[in-house]
Amino acid sequence: MEKLMIDGGKRLSGEITLHGAKNSVLPILSASVLVNGVSVIHNCPDLSDVRVTVNILRYLGARVKREGSTLTVDTTGICRSNILEEYMSELRSSIIFLGALAARTGNACLYLPGGCDIGLRPIDLHLKGLKSLGYFVYTQGSNVCASGEDIKGTKIVLPFPSVGATENIILASVFAKGTTTVINAAKEPEITDLINFLNKAGAKIKVDSTSVITVKGVKSLHSTEHTVISDRILATTLMSATASCRGDVLIDNAVINDIMPTLPVFEEMGCEITCNKSSIRIKADNRPHCVRFIETMAFPGFPTDCQAPVMASLCVADGMSAIKETVFENRFKHTEQLNLFGADITVKDRIAMINGVEKLYPACVKCTDLRGGAAVVIAALTADGVSYISDIKHIDRGYERIENQLASLGANVMRIKDEKK
Ligand code: EPZ
């Protein structure tokens, strides 16, 4: 096992290009199952979640080749329609293979993973959506299955704009007879990216401004090529690190609209933000100001995935900040680790109160989950001295070689062997 050694207390400066969005490439790879041909997907980051998804595609019978950040996926040879426990327990978001596999093969069975680090992660909305389309959804031991040949378009109203449920319903309805309308659908940029990929392959999907997605069923999808959007959560993570450590960082290949919901928070912290066509510059010369209240919401609200990184920056702010986590029920596990650096965070129900301190002290901590891991990295970059971070497999799920990215901005970060693990 490995851990990070971070000698913090240094300003960040320089220029960095964002890699592709993890939460876009994963659903697009699942969607490639619907294509009876070759999907050439550019700007795919080399992340452990992507590697697991590629292994699933290969298990299903697809041929996948990586050349740099391009994945070429040939799904003509798909010969299986089940996904084993070893894959599903590694990557529970692979549940969106259910809709794609059921639509392609008429029957799909996936091992049903349990909850994860940040919550129970139920899939009731996914299954309800597939049932509304006419799939017979049932459990077989620890597997959840969906089968159906005569799938008809229908109207589906989501009580909550679930990202995964929206994606699963879209994939399950691409070949349905007639039109499917999804009301109160998720509007995250990654959904739009998935829809763009599918439409390039011949699907007929429209999104209107009132969160309604319309999927007009087609007979088949053909080979296509697509470039994945850049990772807005990586952008916000780098911005949080700059706000906390101070510095002057230019982030290239950014989609400003995707990052827009977080800009008021960085401005309230006192950062100087300059947006150009596809880059964003953040300058932070002083201790961040506290931010009175942040509430995580579905897009275009403040993203739940940015909650932990931004919280790390607020640990050294000049006053009391509050963050309310409304999306996941257990997404404050990183606060305990942040307090080991000398932060002063208290959590009651779904609100974290961050009483800013002058400085953080080096510590030995662990990653509790993907974004919680990013938070402790930011705290270690901010603390003057050497910190150690273990369980970095969580970070590797969503950030490509984070030590190289940070080192390119002047941070002193090394990946070393964790002899204790
Ligand atoms: C996606 O998860 C992302 N993952 C998450 O990113 C992100 O935090 C989340 O959307 C919200 O933006 C991927 O795209 C791979 P949801 P997902 O369905 O689809 C409840 C990261 O750090 N819910 O919008 O699982 C659920 O319990 C990850 O990159 C149901 O109740 O999110 C949660 O409380 C973490 N029933 C809320 O909705 C359901 O059937 C949001 O879940 C589905 C969801």
Side-chain angles (χ1 to χ4, degrees):
M1 299 283 266
E2 299 171 313
K3 63 184 176 184
L4 291 178
M5 180 174 81
I6 298 182
D7 184 3
K10 296 168 180 54
R11 281 171 60 88
L12 298 181
S13 65
E15 193 169 340
I16 190 164
T17 301
L18 296 173
H19 59 56
K22 165 179 86 79
N23 292 346
S24 194
V25 72
L26 297 184
I28 286 174
L29 286 173
S30 301
S32 70
V33 159
L34 294 168
V35 174
N36 193 2
V38 177
S39 304
V40 180
I41 308 162
H42 301 293
N43 202 23
C44 297
D46 184 15
L47 306 168
S48 54
D49 276 6
V50 173
R51 289 196 286 276
V52 172
T53 306
V54 166
N55 291 338
I56 290 174
L57 285 168
R58 286 177 175 145
Y59 169 78
L60 294 173
R63 278 181 304 138
V64 187
K65 194 172 62 182
R66 177 181 277 274
E67 284 160 311
S69 68
T70 296
L71 286 175
T72 302
V73 186
D74 181 347
T75 46
T76 38
I78 291 244
C79 56
R80 283 193 173 110
S81 61
N82 72 307
I83 300 182
L84 303 172
E85 175 179 354
E86 64 187 272
Y87 297 119
M88 292 302 293
S89 27
E90 256 198 296
L91 186 59
R92 55 175 327 289
S93 58
S94 303
I95 190 67
I96 58 170
F97 270 103
L98 185 65
L101 269 177
R104 161 118 186 202
T105 65
N107 180 50
C109 276
L110 275 57
Y111 174 80
L112 194 53
C116 72
D117 316 300
I118 58 177
L120 284 172
R121 312 297 290 274
I123 58 168
D124 54 312
L125 302 181
H126 298 238
L127 303 184
K128 236 167 98 192
L130 267 60
K131 278 182 196 153
S132 315
L133 285 161
Y135 289 94
F136 173 50
V137 176
Y138 57 101
T139 51
Q140 210 172 51
S142 310
N143 289 305
V144 62
C145 305
S147 65
E149 301 299 338
D150 182 21
I151 303 306
K152 285 197 181 56
T154 183
K155 183 167 93 169
I156 297 169
V157 182
L158 285 175
F160 175 90
S162 155
V163 170
T166 302
E167 291 166 345
N168 231 338
I169 291 164
I170 290 173
L171 298 182
S173 60
V174 164
F175 300 142
K177 285 190 191 67
T179 299
T180 299
T181 310
V182 188
I183 295 164
N184 195 27
K187 296 198 288 194
E188 272 67 7
E190 295 77 24
I191 302 267
T192 310
D193 205 26
L194 170 66
I195 290 170
N196 290 338
F197 166 78
L198 288 166
N199 283 342
K200 281 180 191 169
K204 290 187 178 13
I205 307 171
K206 284 205 183 75
V207 196
D208 78 5
S209 54
T210 60
S211 309
V212 173
I213 292 177
T214 309
V215 183
K216 198 162 171 299
V218 295
K219 287 253 173 302
S220 64
L221 296 186
H222 52 69
S223 299
T224 190
E225 190 158 359
H226 181 76
T227 299
V228 171
I229 55 171
S230 62
D231 195 317
R232 62 192 170 105
I233 311 301
L234 170 60
T236 319
T237 302
L238 294 168
M239 293 167 74
S240 303
T242 308
S244 189
C245 302
R246 293 161 220 187
D248 183 351
V249 170
L250 178 66
I251 299 170
D252 290 325
N253 191 29
V255 181
I256 305 303
N257 269 350
D258 296 354
I259 302 168
M260 200 65 78
T262 65
L263 298 188
V265 166
F266 288 105
E267 278 154 5
E268 195 172 337
M269 277 196 224
C271 300
E272 194 187 309
I273 305 281
T274 315
C275 296
N276 297 310
K277 196 162 158 302
S278 60
S279 68
I280 187 162
R281 181 178 176 190
I282 177 167
K283 271 184 88 204
D285 294 326
N286 308 302
R287 180 181 178 188
H289 296 315
C290 56
V291 175
R292 199 178 47 77
F293 184 65
I294 298 171
E295 182 170 359
T296 65
M297 278 181 256
F299 195 86
F302 184 88
T304 173
D305 294 347
C306 302
Q307 178 253 106
V310 163
M311 182 189 286
S313 318
L314 294 171
C315 289
V316 289
D318 60 0
M320 182 69 83
S321 306
I323 302 182
K324 184 175 183 185
E325 173 55 60
T326 68
V327 177
F328 288 103
E329 72 273 20
N330 185 22
R331 202 169 196 177
F332 280 142
K333 286 175 33 186
H334 48 279
T335 55
E336 200 184 313
Q337 299 300 312
L338 290 173
N339 284 339
L340 294 176
F341 287 98
D344 178 7
I345 308 168
T346 47
V347 172
K348 188 163 178 350
D349 301 328
R350 297 185 85 157
I351 296 186
M353 298 305 294
I354 306 105
N355 183 19
V357 294
E358 283 272 338
K359 59 189 291 191
L360 296 180
Y361 299 88
C364 291
V365 298
K366 64 181 172 107
C367 300
T368 51
D369 53 72
L370 167 54
R371 308 302 174 185
V376 293
V377 165
I378 292 168
L381 291 169
T382 309
D384 199 351
V386 179
S387 298
Y388 293 92
I389 299 173
S390 58
D391 293 341
I392 58 174
K393 63 181 186 308
H394 291 290
I395 295 181
D396 292 336
R397 290 187 47 215
Y399 297 95
E400 189 177 278
R401 303 298 304 181
I402 195 165
E403 67 277 14
N404 296 348
Q405 295 194 60
L406 294 170
S408 74
L409 298 175
N412 192 341
V413 187
M414 279 174 69
R415 184 183 287 257
I416 59 174
K417 206 164 157 22
D418 189 346
E419 49 299 330
K420 285 205 206 83
K421 303 243 173 179

